[in-house]
Every structure is written in C-alpha cells, then in structure tokens.
Amino acid sequence: MNDMRIMERDVDVNEIKIAARGCQVYYADTHAIKDVDVDIEDKTVTAFIGPSGCGKSTFLRCLNRMNDTIDICRVEGEIRLDGEDIYDPKVDPVQLRAKVGMVFQKPNPFPKSIYDNIAYGPRIHGMAKTKADLDIIVEKSLRRGAIWDEVKDRLDAPGTGLSGGQQQRLCIARAVATEPEVLLMDEPCSALDPIATAQVEELIDELRSQYSVVIVTHSMQQAARVSQKTAFFHLGNLVEFGETGQIFTNPVDPRTESYITGRIG
Amino acid sequence: MTDANMSKSGAVPVPRKSLLQPDARTKRRNSAEARFRAYGLAAVGIGVLALVMLLVSIVGTGSGAFKQTYLTIPVHLNEAKLDKKGDRELANLKKVTTIGYAGVLKTSLNDFLAQEGIEIDGLSDKDAGKIISKEAAATVRNAVLADPDLIGTTQDFTLLANGRIDGYYKGRVTMDSAELDGNVTPEQLMLADALKERGLLKTKFNWAFLIAPDASDQRPEAAGLGVAILGSIYMMLTVLILAPVIGVAASIYLEEFAPKNRWTDIIEVNISNLAAVPSIVFGILGLAIFINFAGMRASAPIVGGLVLTLMTLPTIIIATRAALKAVPPSIRDAGLGLGASKMQSVMHHVLPLAAPGILTGTIIGLAQALGETAPLLLIGMVAFVREYPAAWSPESGLFGEPSTALPVQVFNWTQRADPAFVERASGAIIVLLIFLVAMNAVAVMLRRRFERRW
C-alpha cells in the first residue's frame, strides 16, 4: 500500500453525515457497545476494524436500525443522520433504511431474476412511473455495481445463479438502486476470492464520489486500501478513530498498535 | 524411525499395520454397519409388504364394486295395474307404489321367459321375479312418472339384477352356497345363466356406484357413493377455503411478527398439543359449538367442513411455521435493508420461498381431513341420505343440506349384514385412496412448479 496515497486523501474535508454520541447497545444483559462517539463524513469511506465480537457489525446495524429486528437488542444514546435523531419515536425505520442502504456479509440476492432483484427497491419506493423508467434505473444501478457488462444479456436469469463475486456486486447494485445517501457494508468481501474482492473494492472507491460508505472488515489491508477514515473497535469500545493513514502508520492507542501489528485479535 | 529405536526410548513397540489387512476394530465397525443396513432394509421391506398386502386385499375385495350385473328385458307397462282410471293424472299415478311396479316386472319377466322358451325345473314364477333387484321397481316407476305416456306400451328396460345374482358372477355366491342361502336358490342361478347365454344379462362398468346415492340393507346392488362423494367434496371445499387462510395467517403472525414472550410460548405449546388431540374430541367440540350453540344443521357438510378445519389447523400451522423458519434470515435482511416494510419483506420474499412447504403441509392436512371419520359421526353425518345435497339452498344456506362423507360411508357399509356390502365398502376405500393419491399428485405438481422457478 502506498502511504503517500493515503496521505493525499486527507485533503478534502467533508460535512458530517452521521453523528453518534454516547451510543450504547445491549443484548439482553450484555453490554455490546459502550459509549461510542463517531462522526461519519459524507463522500468518504469509513472502515470499522477490530477483532471478532468487538461490536463493529452491531454498531453498523445501529446506523440503519436493522437491530430493531432483534427482540432483545436495545439501543441508547443518540445517532443523528443529517442532524435528525434516527431513534426518535417519530422515525419510521422503513424510511430510514431507504436512505441508509445495506450490503451484507453473505451475498443474499432474492431468488428472483437479476432484473427483479434490482427493480425491487425502486418498485416498493415508487421511484419509477413506467417500465422504461425502471429499465433505466436497472441499467444505471447495474453499471454502478460494475456488473452490467456481465449480466446485460441475461437479466431474466435468476440472481442466485451468479458466482459469489457477481452476486455481491448484484447486491451492491441493488442497494444503490434505491438511491441511498449512506451505504453500509458488513464485511462485503469475506465470502469472495481475491479477484472478486478487488472488483468490489474498486467499486467501493467509485461509490465514494456519491455516497458516504461505511464498511466493516476483518482485513486490515482492505481497510487501508479502501478507506479514508478508520475506526478501531475493541470489546465494545471505540478505541481509536481517525485518518486511515494515521491509524495504520502512527496509532495513538497501544491497543490499536497491538491489533494492527497482529498481537491481539 | 525403526522399531529398535522405539524400544530403546522406552515406548511400547507398535507392530506395523498393513492397509491390505483390515484390523479387528475395523472389521467390527464394518460388520456393525452391515448389520445396520440389513435392519434398515428389513424395516423398509416390512413397510412395503404391509402396503402391498393392504392394496392387494382392498383391490381384491373392492374391485368387484366397479362392475355390476344388469338385466335387459321388455317390460309391459300394464295400464290396468299402473293407471286404473286411465287419465294419466300424475297424482293418481303416484299412488301406485314400487310394490305395484314389482308385480308388473315379475309378470313381464315370466311372460318374457315363456316367450323365449326358457324353463327351469322347480323355479316358481315368484322366485324367477326375485332375480331382479328390488331397486328395479323404483327405476321403472321413475321412468313412468317422468313420462306417463309410456303406460300401456312395452319398453326395453336395463335393470339391476339382484345382489346375489351379481355375487354369483363375482364368485361370492356359488351353486353350493345357494343351496344353504335363504335369499337365493340354485334354480335362480340357472335362470341367470340361461339369460346370460342369450346376452340379456350383462356385467357392465358400474357408474351407479360412483353417482348413485346409498341404498337400504336389502339392496346392496343399488348402493352408490354419489351423496358421500358430494358431501366429501363440499367439506373439502370448506376446509380448503378456510384452513390454509387461517393457518397461514396465524403462522405468519406467530413466526414473523409476534413478540417472543410467555404468551406466545403458551400459544405455541397449545398448538403443538392440539395437533395430537384425538379427532373425536373435535367432533364433540363441533357438536357443542356449531350445532348446539350456533344452531347449525346436523349432518350438514358445512359443519363437517368447519370441524375438519379446526382439526386441520394445527397441522397446517406447524408445517407453515417450519417452512417459514427454513427461509434463510438473510432474505428477510435483504428486504428490510432495501427499505421494505416487515410485511413487504414477508409477502414478497419469505412467503414465496416457503410456499412449497406450506402447500405440502396444507395437502397433508386436507388428506387427513378427507379420511377422517370419528368427528363426522358425532355431528350426524353418519345418517342414511338418499337425496343429493344441493350446494346452496335458501332454507339451509351454503353446504347446509344433510349429506354423508366417504369415510363415513365405508364405516356404514362395513356394519351391514349382506356380504355384498363388504365389496362396496372396499370399493369405497379404493375411491377414497384415488382421491388421496390425486390430491398428493396435485401437491407434488404444485411443489415442482414453485420450486422449478429457481
């Protein structure tokens, strides 16, 4: 990894998209996330790293309230998206999730055609008035997902019939089809081979121009490659948060250093 | 390392094992596996044998019910007997009962025999008349009431032969058994043989078995399944409309929406228990609620359908919940992550994936309901019904007219004395099995359709 390039990225300062303050998450009696404060910038890739079970995925799922689907999960504190508290009782999580899209660890295309996979989001949100509009959205999304050339001749083929890497890019295309403002990615490359991973990473870098991307990853190299900001989680605490270059070259906290040098985790 | 080295270092020397020579432990394991396979095979064999025996015995006894012996003779519809006043007034014609027609038939048959020159020693005219079924008089009477102009003419009628004569051609009655039988004489059998030689007595496919209503104890040859099949169809329609809708709605709510707390636990345990409740208990419940409390009619297919719906619900709910559980959570997440509401996620993605499992559960439930007898006995569907129930009537409402059901008809017929009813009962079981196989075939086809998409 070229450190110079990491440094170069520091130049732009973007406005803050998501701001979390004093965020706590409990699973029944277990305190999973302890007092996390974090600012996620717009048009930036933010990586969450940390050992397994440190709470990075849990925190990611707080950002679009996917934790609501787990009965025993309780979230406290404040998470603001563009200044609005997303845990306000008046907020409908369904509307929130249309703004904050999510890509999961395992590629999970619907068992429908490639076309229907992409068109599902725009359909339920009423984003296309005519079939032609929908066709345009589908093509645009598949292009943004960097998978258009591979599937343009078989849009009616089932999405589940694609290879793992293609499925994951399909899922990313599906997520961007609803025009979200933030894209959450939960270990999007953990089930992919190095080539597919490289394709997805390239895609993430392209998506940065339009979205705020938050990515959870186990691979420190990946975090270093794709992100501008990195947050290191350990045992439910946010240990360190800063410029990716600084975290990897000059960490402040000894725990961060131990982790990135491979002594814990 | 060599053996010598090992013993020097104090370790127990291990003899070198050849892969070509299985050791004792491996042999034991292999023989245990071979024994287990043999047990398994034996178990499958017992199952198959039982099925084959069942099918052979039922088809063996029951296939006769699909053939019936008919007799074709010219009947002179004597005006003096059937319409004394000669004015063809329907009210007067109706006064002549089947007993009157039986006399006309007997005379016609004997006249015909004399004309054909058939004469059996020791056979009285009265006994000769008895080779025609008692049902035949009603057949002729209905024909005459439908068209009074037939009176006074001679018409060829194809009439049911007596059950014993029918049994003679199916091997149930022999000349020897007829000697001892109070209901048939060897001479009657000889007469039947003589008529058969002339092609007047024929064994034909028995459509009446499938469409005619039940008949009394003395006329097994006329008994049919029409009312029972109709009743069963009405009940199945009721179950088919109600059970899957209620069952699937309840399952989706419990599985996807209900909070997991003590109340839902209690409901869950109770549903599982309900699946194991003896079906007759549902009959008592139906009697108490639908007939005694709600005042619905006894013997009505709608009541039977409601009772069977209650009985089928736990089966459907359990199968549906299992099918919903089997849908990977990642599909739900995918839907929710795109901003679909919970219900959209369930309806658009989870339910289609669970559909094959739900269908299987529903069809199993329906098949169970189709073969259920006990609860129907309690709500009066065991009644003797001659009238085809209408699907709807202003007085009794939808599916409200009394009827009976296939399994109950089997139960009914096995209780009767005449051996001809044993054949009928087995025949009814064959019809029931055909219905079940057809339903399962539909289930398999639907499954394939839903699964083939992906």
Side-chain angles (χ1 to χ4, degrees):
Chain A
M1 194 66 231
N2 184 347
D3 283 349
M4 288 308 291
R5 232 188 79 199
I6 296 177
M7 292 306 177
E8 269 168 38
R9 296 183 205 159
D10 303 348
V11 184
D12 343 320
V13 173
N14 294 307
E15 55 191 271
I16 290 168
K17 191 73 189 167
I18 299 179
R21 290 290 175 271
C23 181
Q24 322 273 352
V25 180
Y26 301 87
Y27 287 114
D29 296 330
T30 318
H31 198 170
I33 294 284
K34 296 163 192 159
D35 211 15
V36 167
D37 292 356
V38 77
D39 288 325
I40 290 161
E41 292 174 12
D42 201 8
K43 302 200 185 345
T44 305
V45 178
T46 307
F48 289 175
I49 59 169
S52 290
C54 67
K56 51 193 188 311
S57 290
T58 300
F59 184 66
L60 187 79
R61 290 168 68 94
C62 288
L63 300 181
N64 70 344
R65 292 185 60 175
M66 280 299 277
N67 281 337
D68 288 14
T69 57
I70 302 164
D71 280 338
I72 55 166
C73 183
R74 197 151 48 82
V75 179
E76 285 172 12
E78 200 180 72
I79 298 177
R80 290 182 175 276
L81 173 72
D82 292 330
E84 293 174 333
D85 186 359
I86 62 171
Y87 280 91
D88 191 288
K90 276 178 275 187
V91 171
D92 187 341
V94 168
Q95 239 175 319
L96 170 71
R97 288 180 201 133
K99 274 187 161 187
V100 184
M102 188 155 189
V103 176
F104 297 85
Q105 182 172 0
K106 235 182 78 195
N108 56 355
F110 298 126
K112 297 176 187 289
S113 71
I114 293 170
Y115 185 94
D116 286 336
N117 259 283
I118 304 293
Y120 181 69
R123 268 191 196 133
I124 58 172
H125 295 301
M127 290 166 62
K129 290 216 166 53
T130 62
K131 177 84 171 65
D133 285 354
L134 200 58
D135 289 345
I136 292 167
I137 291 177
V138 168
E139 181 177 341
K140 198 172 77 184
S141 306
L142 285 170
R143 279 188 195 283
R144 272 202 245 164
I147 192 179
W148 171 252
D149 290 332
E150 287 156 73
V151 300
K152 64 183 175 198
D153 300 324
R154 47 176 172 145
L155 292 177
D156 291 331
T160 42
L162 299 171
S163 75
Q166 289 174 326
Q167 284 190 15
Q168 193 62 299
R169 278 180 285 149
L170 178 69
C171 291
I172 295 172
R174 182 178 68 187
V176 300
T178 53
E179 303 281 350
E181 293 164 20
V182 181
L183 199 56
L184 308 178
M185 296 185 160
D186 190 357
E187 297 182 41
C189 300
S190 66
L192 305 184
D193 69 12
I195 296 171
T197 302
Q199 287 167 331
V200 171
E201 284 179 8
E202 211 170 297
L203 175 59
I204 292 170
D205 203 49
E206 281 165 29
L207 294 175
R208 181 164 66 98
S209 61
Q210 282 166 309
Y211 307 101
S212 166
V213 179
V214 184
I215 176 169
V216 165
T217 176
H218 266 301
S219 154
M220 281 173 281
Q221 289 87 341
Q222 184 172 59
R225 281 193 299 265
V226 300
S227 70
Q228 287 76 50
K229 292 273 189 155
T230 298
F232 170 61
F233 284 82
H234 189 237
L235 301 175
N237 295 303
L238 176 64
V239 175
E240 195 167 346
F241 178 57
E243 303 293 338
T244 299
Q246 175 255 315
I247 295 273
F248 281 95
T249 54
N250 190 18
V252 175
D253 196 287
R255 283 173 292 177
T256 316
E257 194 187 348
S258 303
Y259 182 69
I260 60 173
T261 52
R263 266 178 284 153
I264 58 165
Chain B
M1 199 193 281
T2 62
D3 284 345
N5 274 342
M6 282 183 66
S7 27
K8 248 181 225 161
S9 60
V12 184
V14 181
R16 196 176 160 276
K17 285 179 193 164
S18 164
L19 277 177
L20 302 173
Q21 200 72 54
D23 62 12
R25 207 181 153 71
T26 313
K27 272 185 198 158
R28 268 207 312 280
R29 277 194 304 194
N30 288 348
S31 60
E33 189 173 321
R35 275 201 306 279
F36 182 76
R37 281 187 190 199
Y39 297 150
L41 211 59
V44 173
I46 290 170
V48 170
L49 196 72
L51 181 68
V52 168
M53 273 164 54
L54 176 87
L55 283 180
V56 166
S57 103
I58 286 180
V59 173
T61 11
S63 59
F66 294 93
K67 294 249 166 162
Q68 195 65 43
T69 310
Y70 287 90
L71 174 70
T72 309
I73 51 163
V75 177
H76 177 62
L77 299 166
N78 192 341
E79 186 170 5
K81 289 268 169 63
L82 303 179
D83 188 14
K84 281 174 193 149
K85 288 188 181 155
D87 54 5
R88 304 287 186 272
E89 194 67 48
L90 209 55
N92 289 328
L93 291 178
K94 277 187 180 164
K95 281 180 189 156
V96 183
T97 62
T98 50
I99 299 169
Y101 282 88
V104 170
L105 280 177
K106 192 188 78 184
T107 321
S108 295
L109 177 67
N110 282 307
D111 290 350
F112 178 63
L113 292 180
Q115 182 193 324
E116 287 282 311
I118 302 171
E119 214 165 314
I120 309 290
D121 284 339
L123 182 68
S124 65
D125 279 7
K126 195 180 166 208
D127 279 353
K130 279 186 183 165
I131 72 163
I132 303 173
S133 163
K134 290 189 172 108
E135 184 73 15
T139 312
V140 176
R141 181 168 182 265
N142 288 342
V144 168
L145 292 182
D147 182 8
D149 290 338
L150 291 177
I151 293 176
T153 65
T154 300
Q155 297 286 332
D156 273 353
F157 276 97
T158 299
L159 303 165
L160 276 168
N162 182 297
R164 304 289 157 139
I165 304 295
D166 181 50
Y168 176 55
Y169 293 109
K170 289 172 181 168
R172 205 167 53 229
V173 177
T174 61
M175 287 290 179
D176 295 335
S177 76
E179 292 274 5
L180 309 166
D181 195 334
N183 292 313
V184 67
T185 64
E187 289 77 20
Q188 285 174 325
L189 298 182
M190 280 184 241
L191 171 61
D193 273 340
L195 286 167
K196 197 174 172 73
E197 260 170 46
R198 285 170 168 75
L200 298 165
L201 195 88
K202 277 186 191 140
T203 304
K204 294 196 293 189
F205 186 79
N206 190 5
W207 286 110
F209 181 60
L210 297 176
I211 51 179
D214 194 9
S216 68
D217 287 10
Q218 287 80 38
R219 297 177 262 185
E221 64 275 6
L225 287 169
V227 173
I229 290 176
L230 211 55
S232 274
I233 288 175
Y234 290 167
M235 284 199 301
M236 285 306 106
L237 283 176
T238 313
V239 178
L240 188 66
I241 291 165
L242 292 178
V245 173
I246 301 175
V248 171
S251 317
I252 291 179
Y253 181 75
L254 285 174
E255 197 57 42
E256 306 282 341
F257 294 95
K260 302 274 172 285
N261 57 26
R262 201 187 317 156
W263 293 111
T264 46
D265 281 351
I266 290 173
I267 290 173
E268 208 161 301
V269 168
N270 277 308
I271 288 172
S272 305
N273 285 342
L274 274 179
V277 166
S279 56
I280 198 152
V281 175
F282 285 100
I284 296 174
L285 183 78
L287 178 66
I289 294 181
F290 299 124
I291 297 177
N292 290 346
F293 177 72
M296 295 169 91
R297 291 186 168 202
S299 310
I302 185 81
V303 177
L306 289 172
V307 169
L308 293 178
T309 301
L310 289 182
M311 204 197 74
T312 318
L313 271 179
T315 316
I316 294 184
I317 291 178
I318 289 171
T320 305
R321 294 191 65 179
L324 289 173
K325 272 202 186 93
V327 174
S330 65
I331 294 293
R332 294 180 180 83
D333 282 351
L336 294 176
L338 282 175
S341 67
K342 185 110 191 177
M343 194 183 128
Q344 284 174 324
S345 173
V346 170
M347 290 299 168
H348 297 162
H349 305 299
V350 178
L351 209 53
L353 283 177
I358 295 174
L359 270 173
T360 312
T362 307
I363 299 276
I364 289 175
L366 274 181
Q368 195 188 347
L370 179 65
E372 200 54 72
T373 323
L376 303 184
L377 301 183
L378 286 183
I379 55 159
M381 290 197 75
V382 70
F384 176 84
V385 184
R386 282 283 290 177
E387 298 286 318
Y388 295 105
W392 191 85
S393 72
E395 306 87 50
S396 53
L398 187 70
F399 299 155
E401 296 197 338
S403 89
T404 152
L406 272 172
V408 179
Q409 194 66 68
V410 173
F411 169 80
N412 236 336
W413 282 347
T414 48
Q415 305 235 314
R416 296 197 186 165
D418 196 315
F421 278 114
V422 176
E423 175 196 279
R424 298 268 150 176
S426 295
I429 291 173
I430 293 175
V431 173
L432 193 58
L433 286 179
I434 289 172
F435 269 72
L436 288 175
V437 169
M439 278 165 68
N440 283 325
V442 170
V444 170
M445 262 167 50
L446 287 174
R447 268 185 82 114
R448 286 262 170 83
R449 255 190 89 120
F450 275 96
E451 277 173 351
R452 202 192 294 154
R453 280 165 62 197
W454 308 112

